[in-house]
Amino acid sequence: MNEIRCAVCNTANPAGTVYCENCGAQIGFPAGEDTGERRYAAELSQMRRDVEAIARRLDRLQAEIARESQEPPATAVDRPPPGPQQRSAPPRPQQRNAPPRPQRRSTPGQPDLSLPSIDWDRVLGRNWLAIIGALTLALGIGFFLKLSFDNNWIGETGRIALGLAAGAGLLALGEYTRQRAAVWAQAVTAGGAATLYMSIYAAYVLYELIRPDLAFLALGGVVALAGALAIRLDSRVIGFLGIVGAFIAPILLGPELPDVRLVLPYIAIVDLGILGVASVRNWRWFTIAGWIGSYGLFAAGYNQYPETDPLLFQAGLTVIFLIFVGATTLFHIIWRRVPGSLDMALVAVNATAYLALTAMVLSDAYSDWLWVIASAMAILYGAISFVAYTRPGAPPQTAMITLPIALVFLTLSIPLALTGVWLMTAWAAQGVVLVWSGFVLGRLPMRVFGLGALALSAMHLLNLPPDVEIDDFSVLLNEHFGVAVFVIGAVYAAAYLYHRNRDSSHEKELPAAATLMAAASVLTLVTLSREAVFFYGLVPEAIADWQVERNEVSPLLITLTWIWAVYAAGLLVLGLARNKPLARWGGLALVGLVFVKLVLVDSFIILPEVDSHIPVLNSKFLSFVVAAAPVAAIGYVYRDVIRNLVEQETAAFRALFAATNVLAVWALTVEIVHFFSVREERLDIDQGVAIMLALTVIWALYGTALLAAGLWKNLALARQGGLGLLGLAIVKIVLLDTFALLPDAATYTLVLNWHFGANVVTVAAIAVVAFAFRERIRNLSYREGQIMRWLPVAAGGLALWSMSLEAIHYFSVQEELLGTEQDSAMHLTLTVLWAVYGVVVIAAGFLRDESRIRLAGMALLAVPVIKLFVFDVFLLEQVYRVAAFVTLGALLLGAGLAYQRYSAEFKGFLLGRQDERG
């Protein structure tokens, strides 16, 4: 076994560790100590742990005794009756010093889920108090030096001497107390190293008391000293605090960073110390802290001195990069140790950060050389992979992480040689490689870093491109689209990797494949939409601020509708054919977005061109067709699949099909309005009446078609939609058309006019459906059948309303043309019309042997009778009054004769003596 378990917190530590990584307890001994002292220290440490364990057991025992003493004794009522064995057994005396109750243990086969007990008092008091204290002391010395600089309390030489003396004193104090208080001594030693850093740095940078060569030599000596002490004492504390002090020093000692020509060598010297320590100790967080500090200090210097020669920055950045290439790989190659997830992730992140910062530094004047740097990085990582692969005993993981990085940079070098915009592909490629390597090596953190890189590339893609040359833009054949294809392909590849390795993924990674697929789909749609925007010579900012003319944005809106509709249809087909719920929901959402866009945006912004508008065969109407037709086809082809989906999805698809029909009606409505609007503008003739009547006909015919389809294919949703649309058409005829569409006396012709024709079409459509599907209506559910049986009533009532309205319009026109009053003739006509209609309905009831129809005819016949005796007798002129009474009387006599002829049916109907169908 290559590990040692801590007796305090039960944490596994690498072999040879002196102090526990978790709690800081001593579990080993530094190399070189006397064997007798080691045995004595081990025995003493074991005795200390035994005493602490006994103390914890006594504490638990006291707590249990105190709890039991507070419980009230059981009463006679609460105490259960004693059994036979309980009566014979004497009461057991209570033992004063009874051992504590044993803790419940887990049964065999079940893991013990209890957490290891940690002595927080020991951990915080002995370890972290010392660490925090040393760091605070180092910072305090730094602030004191800063304060003394500002107030000139001490001379320049005295300040530096004081700092050096304080650092040396802390080092001596740490060495003196190393045997007595090892953890505390490590913190003090680390504080001394950090103080020396700041003192030497101030002597060189602020006061120029020593030459540059001496300063760097002294800094190198402190770095070497801190590294040697950290290695000798096997102390991460010394190494970590030394790093913190080294990188805080340049910031604390001045309001600004000094000349970047001094900062960059300083970073390099500190990083060399990190490299030395990392070569013999695999302290991951030590290396990560150094990496963050190095790149952070470099970025601060770059932002503060933007006018500095970029080649100088690039030289310093390259040195930092190469040092951390060694710090993340040499230990594993030299000592043949298997790298962990953080180690491999840092290798990849270091490479990606270097290329990103290089692109930032060289973006202005030297961007053409990025491909050379990428090629050099490919060669470097390829060489490291080769050395790791050929060295006997070296772990293969090092080669497996560096070789893909080499391949990625080799791949990037080709597009970078063409254009710098391909830089973002580094993040995408790096992300895929990390995800793949994470599955191969079984490392979750690597996959997490890979997802982060993919997220960065995706966000960068969404912000691209701010500087497109509209005049030279070629759709699909431009560098930005190529970058987008690469990034989207990388996201799809990562989704495939997660899908393929779903059985070996962590529980929290299960949604990763679906999330990546959704992200790739969104990026694809955004990329295609952006191509359309730039193809029409527009920029997103101008569209968002409404700085474009309506005629300029209309083609773009139509193109976007086509792209989104086709993409949504593809998602729906994929989701239904391959049983992909995410694709189905994505397609549903995108179709909904297309529908909303068509109704709320395109309908009001895209207006027809008067000179070139062609009914139906125009781009706007075809946009509605492209959006609705695929959805209808998918619903028909995959109807059986949709029925077998879960309830929520089936309901969503039903809502989609309902929305499709609403969109179709809306499209026809908009097309009619545009057609007559263009006609009005061309002919300079008011087309308001034509629009109203055409809408009535379209709504009635579409509603009838829906109703027929619902009855024929037994689709309840279609039947409901058809009834609703028919109801809307009827309400429009009765409440709107009746009062808004008045006849023109100059052009009016009885019966042969558009208003009456629209009503006839509506009545005929309803009547045909009611007659053709009468058998299917009888087989519907009771509630729906009752509603459907009102279709003939609606058709008959609308027919009577239309004929009555036509009579009113005729006599109104005659009154206007002749200049004479036509009220008596109109009322006579209405009375006779209603009476004849009632008799016809009664006759139809006899022919169909339907009591309900005869009852309706009798009720209708009662209306003209009441009208005749209540109103017409007073309003009509003498001639018309006679005609009304004679005509109505003849009709009533005829109806009476009919009932005499069918007396049995009549009696049965009135008295209920005969069963009739109804």
Side-chain angles (χ1 to χ4, degrees):
M1 298 294 291
N2 293 324
E3 63 181 23
I4 301 176
R5 288 197 172 272
C6 176
V8 176
C9 65
N10 199 32
T11 301
N13 297 269
T17 304
V18 178
Y19 297 97
C20 177
E21 297 178 354
N22 182 48
C23 65
Q26 185 173 0
I27 59 175
F29 305 92
E33 291 188 357
D34 181 71
T35 304
E37 294 181 357
R38 291 165 62 92
R39 183 167 57 252
Y40 171 74
E43 294 176 355
L44 183 62
S45 178
Q46 183 62 39
M47 292 176 61
R48 183 184 299 110
R49 289 194 291 271
D50 293 342
V51 171
E52 292 175 353
I54 293 173
R56 288 194 296 271
R57 291 171 63 91
L58 288 175
D59 291 339
R60 289 198 298 269
L61 177 61
Q62 292 176 357
E64 291 178 1
I65 294 175
R67 185 170 58 254
E68 291 178 356
S69 63
Q70 294 176 359
E71 296 178 356
T75 62
V77 176
D78 298 333
R79 186 180 298 112
Q85 295 180 357
Q86 292 175 341
R87 296 191 187 98
S88 60
R92 183 176 300 174
Q94 184 178 3
Q95 300 179 7
R96 295 183 59 185
N97 297 322
R101 299 177 181 176
Q103 299 293 325
R104 190 174 75 176
R105 299 181 180 178
S106 60
T107 59
Q110 296 181 351
D112 186 6
L113 300 179
S114 60
L115 298 175
S117 60
I118 299 176
D119 189 353
W120 291 106
D121 179 67
R122 176 189 178 92
V123 171
L124 296 177
R126 294 185 53 185
N127 302 331
W128 285 102
L129 285 181
I131 295 172
I132 296 173
L135 181 60
T136 305
L137 178 61
L139 294 176
I141 293 175
F143 286 124
F144 172 75
L145 292 176
K146 177 68 169 58
L147 186 62
S148 65
F149 301 161
D150 296 337
N151 294 277
N152 200 21
W153 290 344
I154 307 174
E156 297 176 353
T157 305
R159 301 171 191 171
I160 303 304
L162 181 61
L164 292 174
L170 290 175
L171 290 177
L173 180 61
E175 181 65 21
Y176 177 75
T177 58
R178 181 173 62 86
Q179 298 293 339
R180 298 172 179 81
V183 177
W184 186 85
Q186 292 176 24
V188 173
T189 302
T195 303
L196 290 179
Y197 273 127
M198 288 185 282
S199 300
I200 297 173
Y201 187 86
Y204 166 53
V205 175
L206 296 181
Y207 302 113
E208 300 180 354
L209 297 178
I210 53 178
R211 299 195 309 272
D213 53 349
L214 293 178
F216 289 126
L217 183 63
L219 288 174
V222 176
V223 170
L225 175 62
L229 289 174
I231 296 172
R232 175 175 178 266
L233 300 178
D234 195 21
S235 173
R236 289 176 172 81
V237 175
I238 295 177
F240 184 79
L241 291 184
I243 289 297
V244 172
F247 287 113
I248 287 180
I251 299 176
L252 288 181
L253 295 181
E256 298 181 332
L257 291 173
D259 193 338
V260 71
R261 290 172 295 180
L262 305 178
V263 174
L264 293 177
Y266 174 79
I267 298 175
I269 291 175
V270 176
D271 288 346
L272 286 174
I274 297 173
L275 176 62
V277 174
S279 300
V280 295
R281 291 288 187 273
N282 186 29
W283 294 342
R284 299 180 182 92
W285 292 106
F286 172 79
T287 307
I288 292 175
W291 183 85
I292 294 174
S294 300
Y295 280 98
L297 198 57
F298 171 84
Y302 179 78
N303 290 330
Q304 193 163 332
Y305 297 96
E307 303 300 329
T308 306
D309 186 359
L311 292 180
L312 177 61
F313 277 114
Q314 186 60 34
L317 179 63
T318 302
V319 171
I320 296 172
F321 164 70
L322 293 175
I323 290 174
F324 279 98
V325 168
T328 53
T329 58
L330 286 180
F331 175 83
H332 308 289
I333 296 176
I334 294 174
W335 301 101
R336 302 179 178 88
R337 298 293 179 87
V338 177
S341 301
L342 289 177
D343 300 324
M344 292 184 287
L346 188 57
V347 173
V349 171
N350 181 46
T352 306
Y354 172 70
L355 186 60
L357 290 175
T358 297
M360 180 180 66
V361 172
L362 303 181
S363 60
D364 296 332
Y366 303 97
S367 58
D368 296 337
W369 290 91
L370 287 176
W371 71 273
V372 178
I373 296 176
S375 301
M377 295 176 67
I379 296 173
L380 172 65
Y381 280 101
I384 296 174
S385 177
F386 177 77
V387 172
Y389 180 76
T390 56
R391 177 172 172 78
Q397 287 84 349
T398 304
M400 292 178 67
I401 187 60
T402 52
L403 179 59
I405 295 175
L407 295 176
V408 167
F409 286 112
L410 181 62
T411 304
L412 290 177
S413 63
I414 298 175
L416 286 175
L418 302 176
T419 174
V421 75
W422 289 76
L423 176 62
M424 77 159 66
T425 56
W427 291 99
Q430 196 75 14
V432 175
V433 170
L434 284 174
V435 171
W436 173 77
S437 302
F439 279 116
V440 172
L441 303 176
R443 302 289 184 177
L444 174 61
M446 291 186 65
R447 300 195 293 270
V448 173
F449 275 107
L451 294 177
L454 288 173
L456 288 175
S457 65
M459 289 187 292
H460 192 51
L461 178 61
L462 293 176
N463 293 326
L464 179 79
D467 54 351
V468 173
E469 295 294 337
I470 300 297
D471 297 334
D472 300 331
F473 182 81
S474 298
V475 64
L476 303 183
L477 299 177
N478 57 83
E479 59 187 16
H480 303 293
F481 185 75
V483 170
V485 170
F486 189 94
V487 174
I488 294 169
V491 179
Y492 274 120
Y496 172 74
L497 289 173
Y498 267 100
H499 175 72
R500 183 178 179 181
N501 298 277
R502 56 188 178 275
D503 295 334
S504 59
S505 300
H506 190 270
E507 181 181 358
K508 295 182 179 180
E509 292 180 292
L510 294 180
T515 304
L516 288 170
M517 287 295 296
S521 296
V522 172
L523 291 176
T524 302
L525 200 60
V526 170
T527 300
L528 294 175
S529 302
R530 191 159 49 198
E531 286 292 298
V533 171
F534 292 121
F535 173 74
Y536 288 105
L538 303 175
V539 292
E541 293 79 7
I543 297 175
D545 296 336
W546 297 95
Q547 297 176 357
V548 294
E549 298 295 332
R550 178 174 295 180
N551 57 350
E552 295 178 354
V553 77
S554 295
L556 172 62
L557 292 176
I558 294 172
T559 304
L560 291 179
T561 299
W562 285 50
I563 292 173
W564 296 359
V566 172
Y567 198 88
L571 286 177
L572 290 177
V573 171
L574 175 65
L576 293 171
R578 301 297 299 274
N579 192 22
K580 302 292 184 183
L582 182 65
R584 293 195 295 267
W585 284 111
L588 289 170
L590 188 54
V591 169
L593 178 62
V594 172
F595 286 5
V596 171
K597 174 179 175 294
L598 283 170
V599 173
L600 299 183
V601 179
D602 296 4
S603 297
F604 302 99
I605 292 181
I606 304 175
L607 300 180
E609 296 291 339
V610 177
D611 299 331
S612 60
H613 179 75
I614 300 176
V616 179
L617 299 178
N618 58 80
S619 56
K620 180 175 181 179
F621 185 76
L622 292 178
S623 297
F624 284 94
V625 175
V626 170
V631 175
I634 290 170
Y636 178 77
V637 174
Y638 294 100
R639 57 189 181 277
D640 295 331
V641 177
I642 294 173
R643 291 192 189 101
N644 296 325
L645 296 175
V646 297
E647 182 179 357
Q648 293 83 354
E649 284 191 272
T650 303
F653 272 98
R654 289 175 179 171
L656 174 63
F657 299 142
T660 304
N661 285 283
V662 172
L663 182 68
V665 175
W666 179 269
L668 294 172
T669 302
V670 172
E671 186 65 11
I672 288 172
V673 173
H674 285 174
F675 170 74
F676 286 104
S677 299
V678 171
R679 182 180 175 84
E680 179 176 336
E681 195 165 346
R682 288 176 180 175
L683 303 178
D684 195 19
I685 299 176
D686 185 21
Q687 298 291 315
V689 175
I691 292 176
M692 295 285 288
L693 295 177
L695 292 181
T696 300
V697 173
I698 288 295
W699 294 358
L701 292 178
Y702 199 97
T704 305
L706 273 180
L707 183 58
L711 291 170
W712 181 33
K713 293 294 185 180
N714 193 24
L715 301 174
L717 187 62
R719 294 194 298 268
Q720 296 167 7
L723 285 175
L725 192 54
L726 280 175
L728 179 62
I730 294 173
V731 170
K732 177 179 180 295
I733 290 174
V734 174
L735 298 183
L736 184 61
D737 297 356
T738 298
F739 304 101
L741 305 181
L742 300 179
D744 185 3
T747 59
Y748 177 80
T749 303
L750 180 63
V751 177
L752 300 178
N753 58 80
W754 291 110
H755 192 176
F756 186 73
N759 294 346
V760 168
V761 170
T762 305
V763 172
I766 299 174
V768 168
V769 171
F771 177 78
F773 295 98
R774 59 189 182 279
E775 297 297 332
R776 294 181 181 270
I777 291 175
R778 292 192 182 100
N779 296 328
L780 295 175
S781 63
Y782 176 78
R783 177 177 297 180
E784 195 172 7
Q786 290 295 105
I787 296 175
M788 289 293 181
R789 289 186 180 96
W790 282 93
L791 283 176
V793 178
L798 184 60
L800 182 60
W801 182 276
S802 300
M803 289 186 290
S804 303
L805 184 64
E806 188 67 10
I808 294 173
H809 285 173
Y810 172 77
F811 287 107
S812 299
V813 169
Q814 292 299 315
E815 184 173 325
E816 185 176 350
L817 293 176
L818 301 176
T820 59
E821 186 178 354
Q822 300 290 323
D823 289 344
S824 296
M826 181 184 67
H827 282 287
L828 172 62
T829 303
L830 291 178
T831 300
V832 174
L833 175 63
W834 295 352
V836 171
Y837 200 86
V839 172
V840 171
V841 172
I842 293 173
F846 281 118
L847 292 176
R848 295 294 305 276
D849 197 14
E850 291 282 351
S851 61
R852 292 187 180 88
I853 298 178
R854 295 195 296 270
L855 178 62
M858 293 175 61
L860 184 58
L861 190 59
V863 174
V865 172
I866 296 174
K867 177 177 181 295
L868 179 64
F869 285 97
V870 176
F871 297 99
D872 294 352
V873 69
F874 301 105
L875 297 177
L876 297 180
E877 297 179 5
Q878 187 68 26
V879 176
Y880 292 105
R881 188 185 308 161
V882 172
F885 274 88
V886 171
T887 304
L888 185 58
L891 290 173
L892 292 175
L893 287 175
L897 178 61
Y899 270 98
Q900 289 294 326
R901 173 68 178 81
Y902 296 96
S903 59
E905 290 83 351
F906 179 75
K907 294 178 181 178
F909 170 69
L910 292 178
L911 304 176
R913 295 177 181 175
Q914 180 179 348
D915 295 333
E916 298 178 346
R917 289 182 300 164

